[in-house]
Amino acid sequence: MSNGNRRPVAAGNWKMNLLRRDAEVLCQGLTGGLPAKLEGAGAADVVLFPTATLLTTVARQIQGSAISLGGQDMHPDASGAHTGDVSGPQLADAGCGWVLCGHSERRQDHGEDDALIGRKARAATDHGLLPLICLGESGNERRAEQTLAVLRRQLTAALASKPASFEIAYEPIWAIGTGEVATPEIAQQAHAFLRQTLAELVGEERAATTRILYGGSANPSNVADLIAQRDIDGFLVGGASLDSGKFLDIIDVCARHRG
Ligand code: PEP
């Protein structure tokens, strides 16, 4: 199956940025410009992942638009004594339909391991959220030719707890926030390997319909070449998603993509 049969996704990871007023302005820029980008083109899913404190503000701003909302992380438990954490039911209650699981900054800053990420992905679907499972190799792992082994390990662990549904984001750590984007060939090789591994883990049919997004210094000038690759189904965008003009341009490329 080519990526023309999978609806592209443009996802914005705001990380730990923006105050409420900034979020409102950014959302207004996006909701104002979005219809023109989606109209007459194909279609794309658009998702924003703001900081937890901004979720209700963003939910209000995007009401009635084609934009969906997601949390940047969640605890696997539904409630309880976990100071500073947020649960799946709390995200759903705030209007989220998606959640990031295993972003490399969570792995690095909070020591999240593969098994925990698997539990989070399963808990997400138990609470009606769609997990966007993030994985990718470090620069050292790539230089040591460990990339494919790392991807297989991360994907296998994330799916061990059998989440009911999921999408994947391939995010090479050396490309995140560095301005050093993966070449289309490098990204396609990783995406194809992930899809082939998915087929082994969950079957051909699910592997063929799972969206695998690329993340790592994606911007309006490099996304067209990336999405032209057979197994690249959209983008998880950090820095460029904080600028409504740039993010709208990325959405435009996704929406016009025909596979
Ligand atoms: C990310 O945070 O998921 C990301 C890909 O960031 P950036 O686009 O800034 O590299």
Side-chain angles (χ1 to χ4, degrees):
M1 185 186 278
S2 80
N3 62 3
N5 296 314
R6 294 182 291 270
R7 186 178 164 94
V9 184
N13 174 15
W14 291 1
K15 312 194 189 203
M16 195 173 70
N17 292 301
L18 309 183
L19 302 179
R20 273 183 301 170
R21 184 67 197 129
D22 312 312
E24 283 167 359
V25 171
L26 181 49
C27 286
Q28 283 156 14
L30 293 173
T31 54
L34 196 59
K37 300 296 182 190
L38 296 179
E39 233 170 57
D45 288 337
V46 181
V47 196
L48 298 178
F49 293 95
T51 317
T53 55
L54 299 175
L55 286 171
T56 50
T57 301
V58 175
R60 212 171 20 248
Q61 291 289 325
I62 62 177
Q63 207 166 19
S65 79
I67 303 176
S68 302
L69 188 62
Q72 292 181 4
D73 177 53
M74 58 169 272
H75 195 281
D77 290 354
S79 63
H82 302 293
T83 305
D85 280 314
V86 61
S87 74
Q90 288 174 321
L91 291 179
D93 188 46
C96 294
W98 294 64
V99 62
L100 297 180
C101 291
H103 191 282
S104 62
E105 287 153 14
R106 298 291 313 173
R107 294 178 193 254
Q108 277 168 355
D109 295 357
H110 299 274
E112 294 195 4
D113 62 19
D114 292 334
L116 174 61
I117 291 156
R119 285 169 51 222
K120 290 184 180 203
R122 170 57 189 260
T125 61
D126 287 349
H127 298 301
L129 299 167
L130 180 59
L132 179 51
I133 297 167
C134 304
L135 36 77
E137 80 287 359
S138 67
N140 281 342
E141 288 165 338
R142 174 159 287 273
R143 282 186 288 279
E145 297 183 6
Q146 290 297 307
T147 298
L148 302 186
V150 168
L151 297 184
R152 177 182 287 279
R153 189 201 76 221
Q154 291 177 332
L155 187 61
T156 304
L159 300 182
S161 55
K162 303 200 183 319
S165 53
F166 58 85
E167 312 287 1
I168 303 291
Y170 168 60
E171 297 209 301
I173 297 170
W174 47 270
I176 297 180
T178 59
E180 189 189 346
V181 66
T183 62
E185 294 71 28
I186 284 177
Q188 167 58 24
Q189 189 196 29
H191 283 231
F193 176 76
L194 286 167
R195 199 173 305 284
Q196 177 198 319
T197 309
L198 270 178
E200 291 167 27
L201 295 171
V202 297
E204 295 277 350
E205 203 178 312
R206 263 181 104 183
T209 53
T210 299
R211 272 90 58 94
I212 306 180
L213 314 190
Y214 168 80
S217 299
N219 66 48
S221 66
N222 55 38
V223 289
D225 288 345
L226 286 160
I227 205 165
Q229 303 296 314
R230 185 181 172 84
D231 290 293
I232 299 182
D233 305 314
F235 302 96
L236 179 55
V237 185
S241 73
L242 297 172
D243 178 315
S244 60
K246 288 183 183 170
F247 194 51
L248 284 167
D249 285 348
I250 292 172
I251 293 168
D252 192 47
V253 169
C254 290
R256 285 175 194 286
H257 181 64
R258 286 285 185 280

